[in-house]
Coordinates of all heavy atoms in Angstrom, one line a residue:
M477 N 181.0 258.8 -17.3 CA 181.8 258.7 -18.5 C 181.1 257.8 -19.5 O 180.3 256.8 -19.1 CB 183.1 257.9 -18.1 CG 184.0 257.5 -19.2 SD 185.6 257.0 -19.0 CE 185.5 255.7 -17.9
P478 N 181.0 258.3 -20.7 CA 180.2 257.6 -21.8 C 180.7 256.2 -21.9 O 181.9 255.9 -21.7 CB 180.4 258.4 -23.1 CG 180.9 259.6 -22.6 CD 181.6 259.5 -21.2
L479 N 179.8 255.3 -22.4 CA 180.2 253.9 -22.6 C 181.0 253.8 -23.9 O 180.8 254.6 -24.8 CB 179.0 253.1 -22.8 CG 178.2 252.5 -21.5 CD1 177.6 253.8 -20.7 CD2 177.1 251.6 -21.9
N480 N 182.0 252.9 -23.9 CA 182.8 252.7 -25.1 C 182.0 251.8 -26.1 O 180.9 251.3 -25.8 CB 184.2 252.1 -24.8 CG 184.2 250.8 -24.3 OD1 183.3 249.9 -24.6 ND2 185.0 250.5 -23.2
S481 N 182.5 251.6 -27.3 CA 181.7 250.9 -28.2 C 181.5 249.4 -27.9 O 180.4 248.9 -28.3 CB 182.4 250.9 -29.6 OG 183.7 250.4 -29.5
D482 N 182.4 248.8 -27.2 CA 182.2 247.4 -26.8 C 181.1 247.4 -25.7 O 180.3 246.4 -25.7 CB 183.5 246.8 -26.2 CG 184.5 246.5 -27.2 OD1 184.1 246.3 -28.4 OD2 185.7 246.4 -26.8
Q483 N 181.1 248.3 -24.8 CA 180.0 248.3 -23.7 C 178.6 248.6 -24.4 O 177.6 247.9 -24.0 CB 180.3 249.4 -22.7 CG 181.5 249.0 -21.9 CD 182.2 250.2 -21.1 OE1 182.1 251.3 -21.5 NE2 182.6 249.8 -19.9
Q484 N 178.6 249.6 -25.4 CA 177.3 249.8 -26.0 C 176.9 248.6 -26.7 O 175.6 248.3 -26.8 CB 177.6 251.0 -27.0 CG 177.7 252.3 -26.4 CD 178.1 253.4 -27.3 OE1 178.1 253.3 -28.6 NE2 178.3 254.6 -26.9
F485 N 177.7 247.9 -27.5 CA 177.3 246.7 -28.1 C 176.6 245.7 -27.2 O 175.5 245.1 -27.4 CB 178.5 246.0 -28.8 CG 178.1 244.8 -29.5 CD1 177.6 244.8 -30.8 CD2 178.4 243.5 -28.8 CE1 177.3 243.5 -31.4 CE2 178.1 242.3 -29.5 CZ 177.5 242.3 -30.8
A486 N 177.3 245.5 -26.1 CA 176.8 244.5 -25.0 C 175.4 245.0 -24.6 O 174.5 244.1 -24.4 CB 177.8 244.3 -24.0
V487 N 175.3 246.3 -24.3 CA 174.0 246.7 -23.8 C 172.9 246.7 -24.9 O 171.8 246.3 -24.7 CB 174.2 248.2 -23.2 CG1 172.8 248.8 -22.9 CG2 175.1 248.2 -22.0
D488 N 173.3 247.1 -26.1 CA 172.3 247.1 -27.2 C 171.8 245.7 -27.5 O 170.6 245.6 -27.9 CB 173.0 247.6 -28.5 CG 173.4 249.2 -28.4 OD1 172.9 249.8 -27.5 OD2 174.1 249.6 -29.3
F489 N 172.5 244.7 -27.3 CA 172.1 243.3 -27.5 C 171.6 242.7 -26.2 O 171.4 241.4 -26.2 CB 173.2 242.5 -28.2 CG 173.2 242.7 -29.8 CD1 174.0 243.6 -30.3 CD2 172.2 242.2 -30.6 CE1 174.0 244.0 -31.6 CE2 172.2 242.3 -31.9 CZ 173.0 243.3 -32.4
N490 N 171.5 243.4 -25.1 CA 170.9 242.9 -23.9 C 171.6 241.6 -23.4 O 170.9 240.7 -23.1 CB 169.4 242.6 -24.1 CG 168.7 243.9 -24.4 OD1 168.6 244.7 -23.5 ND2 168.1 244.1 -25.6
L491 N 172.9 241.6 -23.4 CA 173.7 240.4 -23.0 C 173.3 239.9 -21.7 O 173.3 238.7 -21.3 CB 175.1 240.5 -23.3 CG 175.6 240.8 -24.7 CD1 177.1 240.8 -24.8 CD2 175.0 239.7 -25.7
H492 N 172.8 240.8 -20.8 CA 172.5 240.5 -19.4 C 171.2 239.6 -19.5 O 170.9 238.9 -18.4 CB 172.3 241.7 -18.6 CG 171.1 242.5 -18.9 ND1 171.1 243.3 -20.0 CD2 169.9 242.5 -18.4 CE1 169.9 243.9 -20.1 NE2 169.2 243.4 -19.2
D493 N 170.4 239.6 -20.5 CA 169.2 238.8 -20.6 C 169.5 237.3 -20.7 O 168.6 236.5 -20.4 CB 168.3 239.3 -21.7 CG 167.5 240.5 -21.5 OD1 167.4 240.8 -20.2 OD2 167.0 241.1 -22.3
I494 N 170.7 236.9 -20.9 CA 170.9 235.5 -21.0 C 170.7 234.8 -19.6 O 170.0 233.9 -19.6 CB 172.4 235.2 -21.6 CG1 172.5 235.7 -23.0 CG2 172.8 233.8 -21.5 CD1 173.8 235.8 -23.6
P495 N 171.3 235.4 -18.6 CA 171.0 234.7 -17.3 C 169.6 235.0 -16.8 O 168.9 234.1 -16.1 CB 172.0 235.3 -16.3 CG 172.6 236.5 -17.0 CD 172.4 236.3 -18.5
V496 N 169.0 236.1 -17.2 CA 167.6 236.4 -16.9 C 166.7 235.3 -17.5 O 165.8 234.8 -16.9 CB 167.3 237.9 -17.3 CG1 165.8 238.1 -17.2 CG2 167.9 238.9 -16.6
A497 N 167.0 235.0 -18.7 CA 166.1 234.0 -19.4 C 166.3 232.6 -18.7 O 165.4 231.8 -18.8 CB 166.6 233.9 -20.8
A498 N 167.4 232.4 -18.0 CA 167.6 231.2 -17.4 C 167.0 231.2 -15.9 O 167.1 230.3 -15.1 CB 169.1 230.8 -17.2
G499 N 166.3 232.3 -15.6 CA 165.7 232.5 -14.3 C 166.4 233.1 -13.2 O 166.2 233.0 -12.0
L500 N 167.6 233.7 -13.6 CA 168.4 234.4 -12.6 C 168.2 235.9 -12.8 O 168.8 236.6 -13.7 CB 170.0 234.0 -13.0 CG 170.2 232.5 -12.9 CD1 171.6 232.2 -13.4 CD2 170.1 232.0 -11.5
P501 N 167.5 236.5 -11.9 CA 167.3 238.0 -12.0 C 168.5 238.7 -11.8 O 169.4 238.4 -11.1 CB 166.3 238.2 -10.9 CG 166.4 237.1 -10.0 CD 166.9 235.9 -10.8
I502 N 168.7 239.8 -12.6 CA 169.8 240.6 -12.6 C 169.5 242.0 -12.2 O 168.7 242.6 -13.0 CB 170.5 240.6 -14.0 CG1 170.9 239.3 -14.5 CG2 171.7 241.6 -14.0 CD1 171.9 238.6 -13.7
S503 N 169.9 242.5 -11.1 CA 169.6 243.8 -10.7 C 170.4 244.9 -11.5 O 171.3 244.5 -12.2 CB 170.0 244.0 -9.2 OG 171.5 244.0 -9.0
L504 N 170.1 246.2 -11.5 CA 170.7 247.2 -12.2 C 172.2 247.3 -11.8 O 173.1 247.4 -12.6 CB 170.1 248.5 -11.9 CG 170.7 249.7 -12.6 CD1 170.7 249.6 -14.1 CD2 170.1 251.0 -12.2
A505 N 172.4 247.1 -10.5 CA 173.8 247.1 -9.9 C 174.6 246.0 -10.6 O 175.8 246.3 -11.1 CB 173.8 247.0 -8.5
V506 N 174.1 244.8 -10.6 CA 174.8 243.7 -11.2 C 175.0 243.9 -12.8 O 176.1 243.6 -13.4 CB 174.1 242.3 -10.9 CG1 174.7 241.2 -11.7 CG2 174.1 242.1 -9.4
E507 N 173.9 244.3 -13.4 CA 174.0 244.6 -14.8 C 175.1 245.6 -15.2 O 175.9 245.3 -16.1 CB 172.6 245.2 -15.3 CG 172.6 245.3 -16.8 CD 171.3 245.9 -17.2 OE1 170.3 246.0 -16.4 OE2 171.1 246.4 -18.4
A508 N 175.1 246.7 -14.5 CA 176.3 247.7 -14.6 C 177.6 247.0 -14.4 O 178.5 247.4 -15.2 CB 176.0 248.8 -13.7
Q509 N 177.7 246.2 -13.4 CA 179.0 245.5 -13.2 C 179.4 244.5 -14.3 O 180.5 244.5 -14.8 CB 179.0 244.7 -11.9 CG 179.1 245.6 -10.7 CD 179.1 244.7 -9.4 OE1 178.5 243.6 -9.3 NE2 179.6 245.3 -8.3
L510 N 178.4 243.9 -14.9 CA 178.6 243.0 -16.0 C 179.2 243.8 -17.2 O 180.1 243.3 -17.9 CB 177.3 242.3 -16.4 CG 176.8 241.2 -15.6 CD1 175.5 240.8 -16.1 CD2 177.7 240.0 -15.6
Y511 N 178.7 245.0 -17.4 CA 179.2 245.8 -18.6 C 180.3 246.7 -18.2 O 181.0 247.3 -19.0 CB 178.0 246.7 -19.1 CG 176.8 245.9 -19.6 CD1 175.6 246.1 -19.2 CD2 177.0 244.9 -20.5 CE1 174.4 245.5 -19.6 CE2 175.9 244.1 -21.0 CZ 174.7 244.4 -20.6 OH 173.6 243.8 -21.1
G512 N 180.7 246.7 -16.9 CA 181.9 247.5 -16.6 C 181.7 249.0 -16.5 O 182.5 249.8 -16.9
V513 N 180.4 249.4 -16.2 CA 180.0 250.9 -16.2 C 179.4 251.1 -14.9 O 178.9 250.3 -14.1 CB 179.1 251.1 -17.5 CG1 179.8 250.8 -18.8 CG2 177.8 250.4 -17.3
S514 N 179.2 252.4 -14.8 CA 178.4 252.8 -13.4 C 176.8 252.6 -13.7 O 176.4 252.6 -14.9 CB 178.7 254.3 -13.1 OG 178.1 255.1 -14.0
E515 N 176.1 252.6 -12.7 CA 174.7 252.4 -12.9 C 174.1 253.7 -13.5 O 173.1 253.6 -14.3 CB 174.0 252.3 -11.4 CG 174.3 250.9 -10.8 CD 173.6 250.8 -9.4 OE1 172.5 251.2 -9.3 OE2 174.3 250.3 -8.6
N516 N 174.7 254.9 -13.1 CA 174.2 256.2 -13.8 C 174.5 256.2 -15.2 O 173.5 256.6 -16.0 CB 174.9 257.4 -13.1 CG 174.3 257.6 -11.7 OD1 173.2 257.2 -11.3 ND2 174.9 258.3 -10.9
D517 N 175.6 255.7 -15.6 CA 175.9 255.8 -17.0 C 175.1 254.8 -17.9 O 174.7 255.1 -18.9 CB 177.5 255.6 -17.2 CG 178.4 256.6 -16.8 OD1 178.0 257.7 -16.8 OD2 179.6 256.4 -16.7
L518 N 174.9 253.6 -17.2 CA 174.0 252.6 -17.9 C 172.6 253.1 -18.0 O 172.0 253.0 -19.1 CB 174.1 251.3 -17.0 CG 173.1 250.2 -17.6 CD1 173.6 249.8 -19.0 CD2 173.2 249.0 -16.7
T519 N 172.1 253.7 -17.0 CA 170.8 254.2 -17.0 C 170.6 255.4 -18.1 O 169.6 255.4 -18.8 CB 170.3 254.7 -15.5 OG1 170.3 253.6 -14.7 CG2 169.0 255.3 -15.7
A520 N 171.6 256.2 -18.1 CA 171.6 257.3 -19.1 C 171.7 256.8 -20.4 O 170.9 257.2 -21.4 CB 172.8 258.2 -18.9
Y521 N 172.4 255.8 -20.7 CA 172.6 255.3 -22.1 C 171.3 254.5 -22.6 O 170.8 254.7 -23.6 CB 173.8 254.2 -22.2 CG 174.0 253.6 -23.5 CD1 174.4 254.4 -24.6 CD2 173.7 252.3 -23.7 CE1 174.5 253.9 -25.9 CE2 173.8 251.8 -25.0 CZ 174.2 252.6 -26.1 OH 174.4 252.1 -27.3
K522 N 170.7 253.7 -21.6 CA 169.5 253.0 -21.9 C 168.4 254.1 -22.1 O 167.5 253.9 -23.0 CB 169.2 252.1 -20.8 CG 170.0 250.9 -20.8 CD 170.0 250.1 -19.5 CE 168.9 249.2 -19.5 NZ 168.9 248.3 -18.2
S523 N 168.3 255.2 -21.4 CA 167.4 256.2 -21.6 C 167.5 256.8 -23.0 O 166.4 257.1 -23.7 CB 167.5 257.2 -20.4 OG 166.5 258.3 -20.6
S524 N 168.8 257.1 -23.4 CA 168.9 257.7 -24.7 C 168.4 256.8 -25.8 O 167.8 257.3 -26.8 CB 170.4 258.0 -24.9 OG 171.2 256.9 -25.2
I525 N 168.6 255.5 -25.6 CA 168.1 254.5 -26.7 C 166.6 254.7 -26.7 O 165.9 254.6 -27.6 CB 168.6 253.1 -26.3 CG1 170.1 253.0 -26.5 CG2 167.9 252.1 -27.2 CD1 170.7 251.8 -26.0
D526 N 166.0 254.6 -25.4 CA 164.5 254.6 -25.3 C 163.9 255.9 -26.0 O 162.9 255.9 -26.6 CB 164.1 254.5 -23.8 CG 162.7 254.1 -23.6 OD1 162.3 253.1 -24.3 OD2 162.0 254.7 -22.9
Q527 N 164.6 257.1 -25.7 CA 164.2 258.3 -26.4 C 164.2 258.1 -27.9 O 163.3 258.6 -28.6 CB 165.0 259.5 -25.9 CG 164.7 259.8 -24.4 CD 165.7 260.8 -23.9 OE1 166.4 261.4 -24.6 NE2 165.7 260.9 -22.6
H528 N 165.3 257.6 -28.4 CA 165.5 257.5 -29.9 C 164.3 256.5 -30.4 O 163.7 256.8 -31.5 CB 166.8 256.8 -30.2 CG 167.0 256.5 -31.6 ND1 166.7 255.3 -32.2 CD2 167.5 257.2 -32.5 CE1 167.0 255.4 -33.5 NE2 167.5 256.5 -33.8
N529 N 164.0 255.4 -29.8 CA 163.0 254.5 -30.2 C 161.6 255.2 -30.1 O 160.8 255.0 -31.0 CB 163.0 253.2 -29.4 CG 164.2 252.3 -29.7 OD1 164.8 252.6 -30.8 ND2 164.5 251.3 -28.9
A530 N 161.4 256.0 -29.1 CA 160.2 256.7 -29.0 C 160.0 257.7 -30.1 O 158.9 257.7 -30.8 CB 160.0 257.4 -27.7
A531 N 161.0 258.4 -30.5 CA 161.0 259.3 -31.7 C 160.7 258.5 -32.9 O 159.9 259.0 -33.8 CB 162.2 260.1 -31.7
T532 N 161.3 257.4 -33.1 CA 161.1 256.6 -34.3 C 159.7 256.2 -34.3 O 159.0 256.2 -35.4 CB 162.1 255.4 -34.3 OG1 163.4 255.8 -34.3 CG2 161.9 254.5 -35.5
A533 N 159.0 255.7 -33.1 CA 157.7 255.3 -33.1 C 156.7 256.4 -33.5 O 155.8 256.3 -34.2 CB 157.4 254.8 -31.7
R534 N 157.0 257.6 -33.0 CA 156.2 258.8 -33.4 C 156.3 259.0 -34.9 O 155.2 259.4 -35.4 CB 156.7 260.1 -32.6 CG 156.3 260.1 -31.1 CD 156.5 261.4 -30.4 NE 157.9 261.8 -30.5 CZ 158.8 261.5 -29.5 NH1 158.5 260.7 -28.6 NH2 160.0 261.9 -29.7
E535 N 157.4 258.9 -35.5 CA 157.5 259.1 -36.9 C 156.7 258.1 -37.6 O 156.0 258.4 -38.6 CB 159.0 258.9 -37.3 CG 159.2 259.3 -38.7 CD 160.8 259.2 -39.0 OE1 161.6 259.6 -38.2 OE2 161.1 258.9 -40.2
I536 N 156.8 256.8 -37.2 CA 156.0 255.7 -37.8 C 154.5 256.0 -37.7 O 153.7 255.7 -38.6 CB 156.3 254.4 -37.1 CG1 157.8 254.0 -37.6 CG2 155.3 253.3 -37.7 CD1 158.4 252.8 -37.0
A537 N 154.1 256.4 -36.5 CA 152.7 256.7 -36.2 C 152.1 257.7 -37.0 O 150.9 257.7 -37.3 CB 152.4 256.9 -34.7
S538 N 152.9 258.6 -37.5 CA 152.4 259.7 -38.3 C 152.1 259.3 -39.8 O 151.5 260.0 -40.6 CB 153.4 260.8 -38.3 OG 154.5 260.6 -39.1
M539 N 152.5 258.1 -40.2 CA 152.3 257.6 -41.5 C 150.9 257.1 -41.6 O 150.5 256.3 -40.8 CB 153.3 256.4 -41.8 CG 154.8 256.8 -41.7 SD 155.8 255.4 -42.0 CE 157.4 256.1 -41.8
P540 N 150.2 257.4 -42.6 CA 148.8 256.9 -42.8 C 148.7 255.5 -42.7 O 147.6 254.9 -42.2 CB 148.4 257.5 -44.2 CG 149.3 258.6 -44.5 CD 150.6 258.3 -43.8
E541 N 149.5 254.7 -43.4 CA 149.4 253.2 -43.4 C 149.6 252.6 -42.0 O 149.1 251.5 -41.7 CB 150.3 252.6 -44.4 CG 151.8 253.0 -44.2 CD 152.2 254.2 -44.8 OE1 151.5 255.0 -45.3 OE2 153.5 254.3 -45.0
A542 N 150.3 253.3 -41.2 CA 150.6 252.8 -39.8 C 149.2 252.9 -39.0 O 149.0 252.0 -38.2 CB 151.7 253.6 -39.2
A543 N 148.5 254.0 -39.2 CA 147.3 254.1 -38.5 C 146.4 252.8 -38.7 O 145.7 252.3 -37.7 CB 146.5 255.3 -38.8
A544 N 146.2 252.4 -40.0 CA 145.4 251.2 -40.2 C 145.8 250.1 -39.6 O 145.1 249.2 -39.1 CB 145.2 251.2 -41.8
F545 N 147.1 249.9 -39.6 CA 147.7 248.7 -38.9 C 147.5 248.7 -37.5 O 147.2 247.7 -36.8 CB 149.3 248.6 -39.3 CG 150.0 247.6 -38.6 CD1 149.8 246.2 -38.9 CD2 150.8 247.9 -37.5 CE1 150.6 245.2 -38.2 CE2 151.5 246.9 -36.8 CZ 151.4 245.6 -37.1
L546 N 147.8 249.8 -36.8 CA 147.7 250.0 -35.5 C 146.3 249.8 -34.9 O 146.1 249.5 -33.7 CB 148.3 251.3 -34.9 CG 149.9 251.5 -35.2 CD1 150.3 252.8 -34.9 CD2 150.6 250.4 -34.3
E547 N 145.3 250.1 -35.7 CA 143.8 250.0 -35.3 C 143.5 248.5 -35.0 O 142.5 248.2 -34.2 CB 143.0 250.5 -36.4 CG 142.9 252.0 -36.4 CD 142.0 252.5 -37.5 OE1 141.5 251.6 -38.3 OE2 141.9 253.7 -37.7
R548 N 144.3 247.7 -35.4 CA 144.0 246.3 -35.1 C 144.4 245.8 -33.6 O 144.0 244.7 -33.3 CB 145.0 245.3 -36.0 CG 144.7 245.6 -37.5 CD 145.7 244.7 -38.3 NE 145.5 245.0 -39.7 CZ 146.3 244.5 -40.6 NH1 147.3 243.6 -40.3 NH2 146.1 244.9 -41.9
F549 N 145.1 246.7 -33.0 CA 145.5 246.3 -31.6 C 144.8 247.1 -30.6 O 144.5 248.3 -30.9 CB 147.0 246.5 -31.5 CG 147.8 245.7 -32.5 CD1 148.2 246.2 -33.7 CD2 148.1 244.3 -32.2 CE1 149.0 245.5 -34.6 CE2 148.8 243.6 -33.1 CZ 149.2 244.0 -34.3
S550 N 144.6 246.6 -29.4 CA 144.1 247.4 -28.3 C 145.2 247.6 -27.3 O 146.1 246.9 -27.2 CB 142.9 246.7 -27.7 OG 143.3 245.4 -27.3
A551 N 145.0 248.6 -26.3 CA 146.0 248.9 -25.3 C 146.0 247.7 -24.5 O 145.1 247.1 -24.1 CB 145.4 250.2 -24.5
G552 N 147.3 247.4 -24.1 CA 147.6 246.3 -23.2 C 147.7 244.9 -23.8 O 147.9 243.9 -23.2
Q553 N 147.4 245.0 -25.1 CA 147.5 243.7 -25.9 C 149.0 243.3 -26.0 O 149.8 244.1 -26.2 CB 146.8 243.9 -27.3 CG 146.7 242.5 -28.1 CD 146.0 242.7 -29.4 OE1 145.6 243.8 -29.7 NE2 145.8 241.6 -30.1
R554 N 149.3 242.0 -25.9 CA 150.6 241.5 -26.1 C 150.9 241.1 -27.4 O 150.0 240.5 -28.1 CB 150.8 240.4 -25.1 CG 150.9 240.7 -23.7 CD 151.1 239.6 -22.8 NE 151.1 240.0 -21.4 CZ 152.1 240.0 -20.6 NH1 153.2 239.5 -21.0 NH2 152.0 240.4 -19.4
V555 N 152.0 241.3 -27.9 CA 152.5 240.9 -29.2 C 153.8 240.3 -29.0 O 154.7 240.6 -28.2 CB 152.8 242.1 -30.1 CG1 153.3 241.6 -31.5 CG2 151.5 243.0 -30.3
V556 N 154.0 239.0 -29.7 CA 155.2 238.2 -29.5 C 156.0 238.4 -30.8 O 155.5 238.3 -31.9 CB 154.8 236.8 -29.4 CG1 156.1 235.8 -29.3 CG2 153.9 236.6 -28.0
F557 N 157.2 238.6 -30.5 CA 158.2 238.7 -31.8 C 159.2 237.5 -31.7 O 159.7 237.2 -30.6 CB 159.1 240.0 -31.6 CG 158.3 241.3 -31.8 CD1 157.8 241.9 -30.7 CD2 158.0 241.7 -33.1 CE1 157.1 243.1 -30.8 CE2 157.2 242.9 -33.3 CZ 156.8 243.5 -32.1
L558 N 159.2 236.7 -32.7 CA 160.2 235.6 -32.8 C 161.2 236.0 -33.7 O 161.1 236.6 -34.7 CB 159.4 234.4 -33.3 CG 158.2 233.9 -32.4 CD1 157.5 232.8 -33.1 CD2 158.7 233.5 -31.1
G559 N 162.5 235.6 -33.3 CA 163.7 235.9 -34.1 C 164.9 235.7 -33.4 O 165.0 235.2 -32.3
D560 N 165.9 236.1 -34.1 CA 167.2 235.9 -33.5 C 167.7 237.2 -32.8 O 166.8 237.9 -32.2 CB 168.3 235.6 -34.5 CG 168.3 236.5 -35.8 OD1 167.8 237.7 -35.7 OD2 168.9 236.2 -36.8
S561 N 168.9 237.6 -32.8 CA 169.3 238.7 -32.1 C 168.7 240.0 -32.4 O 168.6 241.0 -31.7 CB 170.8 238.9 -32.1 OG 171.3 239.0 -33.5
I562 N 168.2 240.1 -33.7 CA 167.5 241.4 -34.2 C 166.4 241.7 -33.4 O 165.9 242.9 -33.3 CB 167.3 241.4 -35.7 CG1 167.0 242.7 -36.2 CG2 166.1 240.4 -36.0 CD1 168.2 243.7 -36.2
T563 N 165.7 240.8 -32.8 CA 164.5 241.1 -32.0 C 164.8 241.5 -30.6 O 164.0 242.1 -30.0 CB 163.6 239.9 -31.8 OG1 164.2 238.8 -31.4 CG2 163.0 239.5 -33.2
T564 N 166.0 241.2 -30.1 CA 166.4 241.6 -28.8 C 167.2 242.9 -28.9 O 167.3 243.7 -27.9 CB 167.3 240.6 -28.0 OG1 167.4 241.0 -26.6 CG2 168.6 240.3 -28.6
Y565 N 167.8 243.2 -30.0 CA 168.6 244.5 -30.1 C 167.7 245.7 -29.7 O 166.6 245.8 -30.1 CB 169.0 244.5 -31.7 CG 169.8 245.7 -32.0 CD1 171.1 246.0 -31.5 CD2 169.4 246.6 -33.1 CE1 171.8 247.1 -31.8 CE2 170.2 247.7 -33.4 CZ 171.4 247.9 -32.8 OH 172.2 249.0 -33.2
R566 N 168.4 246.6 -29.0 CA 167.6 247.7 -28.4 C 167.0 248.7 -29.4 O 166.0 249.4 -29.1 CB 168.4 248.5 -27.4 CG 168.6 247.7 -26.1 CD 169.2 248.5 -25.0 NE 169.5 247.7 -23.8 CZ 168.5 247.6 -22.9 NH1 167.4 248.3 -22.9 NH2 168.9 246.9 -21.8
Y567 N 167.6 248.7 -30.6 CA 167.1 249.5 -31.8 C 166.1 248.8 -32.6 O 165.8 249.2 -33.6 CB 168.3 250.2 -32.4 CG 169.0 251.2 -31.7 CD1 170.2 250.9 -31.1 CD2 168.6 252.5 -31.6 CE1 171.0 251.8 -30.4 CE2 169.2 253.5 -30.9 CZ 170.5 253.1 -30.3 OH 171.2 254.1 -29.6
S568 N 165.8 247.6 -32.3 CA 165.0 246.7 -33.2 C 163.6 247.2 -33.2 O 163.1 248.0 -32.4 CB 165.0 245.3 -32.6 OG 164.1 245.1 -31.5
Y569 N 162.9 246.6 -34.3 CA 161.4 247.0 -34.4 C 160.7 246.6 -33.3 O 159.6 247.2 -32.9 CB 160.9 246.3 -35.8 CG 161.0 244.8 -35.8 CD1 160.0 244.0 -35.3 CD2 162.1 244.2 -36.3 CE1 160.1 242.7 -35.3 CE2 162.2 242.8 -36.2 CZ 161.2 242.1 -35.8 OH 161.3 240.7 -35.8
A570 N 161.0 245.5 -32.5 CA 160.3 245.1 -31.4 C 160.3 246.1 -30.3 O 159.3 246.4 -29.7 CB 160.8 243.8 -30.9
H571 N 161.4 246.8 -30.1 CA 161.5 247.8 -29.0 C 160.8 249.1 -29.6 O 160.3 249.8 -28.8 CB 162.9 248.0 -28.7 CG 163.5 247.0 -27.8 ND1 163.3 246.9 -26.5 CD2 164.2 245.8 -28.2 CE1 164.0 245.8 -26.0 NE2 164.4 245.1 -27.0
V572 N 161.0 249.4 -30.8 CA 160.4 250.6 -31.4 C 158.8 250.5 -31.2 O 158.1 251.4 -30.8 CB 160.7 250.9 -32.8 CG1 159.9 251.9 -33.5 CG2 162.2 251.2 -32.9
L573 N 158.3 249.3 -31.7 CA 156.9 249.2 -31.6 C 156.2 249.1 -30.3 O 155.1 249.4 -30.0 CB 156.5 247.8 -32.3 CG 156.7 247.8 -33.9 CD1 156.4 246.5 -34.5 CD2 155.9 249.0 -34.5
R574 N 157.1 248.8 -29.2 CA 156.6 249.0 -27.8 C 156.1 250.3 -27.6 O 155.2 250.5 -26.7 CB 157.8 248.6 -26.9 CG 157.3 248.5 -25.4 CD 158.5 248.1 -24.6 NE 159.4 249.3 -24.6 CZ 160.7 249.2 -24.4 NH1 161.2 248.0 -24.2 NH2 161.4 250.2 -24.5
H575 N 156.6 251.4 -28.1 CA 156.2 252.8 -28.0 C 154.9 253.1 -28.7 O 154.3 254.1 -28.4 CB 157.4 253.7 -28.4 CG 158.5 253.7 -27.5 ND1 158.6 254.2 -26.3 CD2 159.6 252.9 -27.7 CE1 159.7 254.0 -25.8 NE2 160.5 253.1 -26.5
L576 N 154.4 252.2 -29.6 CA 153.3 252.5 -30.3 C 152.1 252.1 -29.5 O 150.9 252.3 -29.7 CB 153.3 251.9 -31.7 CG 154.3 252.4 -32.7 CD1 154.4 251.6 -34.0 CD2 153.9 253.9 -33.0

């Protein structure tokens, strides 16, 4: 069953990361329970977001000015994003750039 808008909001903003940040690992089963969805539905929803972000990254990568910017980085290099909820939002630039 597809996630409702409240469940999507909670997943999109990674609300389960609050206990994770406190050092409490959250399994997929527990994460699904927190959101009130099945593991399969949660995995499918997260996969659809990841596919969307990958497509956005491909679009960005095709821009000439992006190539010059991306040349500054090497594979495996870490980039830190500082910010409020916009950096954790699953559709954020931080998640899109992960695909680049």
Side-chain angles (χ1 to χ4, degrees):
M477 174 163 57
L479 281 64
N480 66 38
S481 60
D482 289 339
Q483 291 164 326
Q484 289 177 0
F485 176 85
V487 172
D488 291 349
F489 278 96
N490 297 293
L491 296 184
H492 69 281
D493 278 346
I494 295 168
V496 171
L500 302 170
I502 303 292
S503 68
L504 178 63
V506 171
E507 182 183 350
Q509 286 181 333
L510 286 172
Y511 298 132
V513 300
S514 74
E515 290 179 45
N516 288 339
D517 288 343
L518 178 60
T519 300
Y521 181 67
K522 290 165 83 175
S523 177
S524 72
I525 294 169
D526 199 47
Q527 290 170 12
H528 177 272
N529 289 343
T532 301
R534 285 191 299 274
E535 187 177 327
I536 291 169
S538 71
M539 298 174 184
E541 58 274 13
F545 174 75
L546 294 172
E547 287 176 1
R548 298 177 188 177
F549 301 97
S550 59
Q553 186 174 4
R554 291 180 183 242
V555 178
V556 175
F557 294 94
L558 299 176
D560 55 15
S561 60
I562 196 64
T563 56
T564 191
Y565 182 57
R566 286 189 184 271
Y567 290 100
S568 76
Y569 59 89
H571 288 276
V572 170
L573 291 178
R574 185 182 66 209
H575 291 278
L576 294 173

